[in-house]
Amino acid sequence: MQLLEKLHFNEKGLIPAVIADATDGKALTLCYMNKDAVVKTIETGKIHVFRRSQNRLMLKGETSGHIQSVKRIYFDCEGNSLVFMVEQHVAACHAGYKSCYYREYIPQTNSIQVVEEKVFDPENVYK
């Protein structure tokens, strides 16, 4: 696979990947992929990640059903990271928000604000 030849995985065999909404460009989440996750993502058109906490490959959304369908794939100039533009089905965040980046830090007031509305109740999805 030509893309794999251009990528530089770290000493643990992982590469960071930003997952962003193909419609508005908003970052949805950051994950890590190993070579198998990259290959599986390209083969299926759905984001697969390497779950470091569980030491395994998984389909993003395999528990919730909130899958991410790949529309475009980019990689940086040194091959050290990826950006996947996706169609997000429901939400990317385990906390119930569309994006994991639902909080904004306001330096002027040293405060944090929630800037998105929840789109699902995690207690109903992750039982």
Side-chain angles (χ1 to χ4, degrees), residues 5-107:
E5 297 169 12
K6 300 290 184 186
L7 299 179
H8 300 286
F9 295 83
N10 71 15
E11 66 281 350
K12 294 181 180 178
L14 301 174
I15 191 167
V18 174
I19 312 301
D21 190 295
T23 304
D24 61 13
K26 181 171 175 61
L28 298 172
T29 193
L30 171 73
C31 63
Y32 290 86
M33 296 180 151
N34 60 10
K35 287 181 182 176
D36 290 340
V38 173
V39 169
K40 192 84 166 164
T41 294
I42 292 169
E43 286 176 350
T44 65
K46 294 177 178 50
I47 295 293
H48 286 73
V49 301
F50 183 79
R51 288 290 304 268
R52 295 173 296 166
S53 62
Q54 298 177 11
N55 197 35
R56 72 177 185 95
L57 181 70
M58 68 167 278
L59 170 68
K60 181 77 170 115
E62 72 181 26
T63 302
S64 65
H66 302 172
I67 63 166
Q68 298 168 328
S69 299
V70 176
K71 299 301 176 190
R72 293 185 301 284
I73 303 170
Y74 300 94
F75 60 102
D76 74 320
C77 58
E78 295 184 355
N80 294 328
S81 64
L82 294 156
V83 175
F84 289 88
M85 304 304 290
V86 303
E87 177 185 348
Q88 176 65 58
H89 301 273
V90 185
C93 180
H94 293 97
Y97 297 89
K98 180 178 178 185
S99 168
C100 291
Y101 302 97
Y102 62 90
R103 298 174 287 189
E104 180 179 2
Y105 174 68
I106 313 297

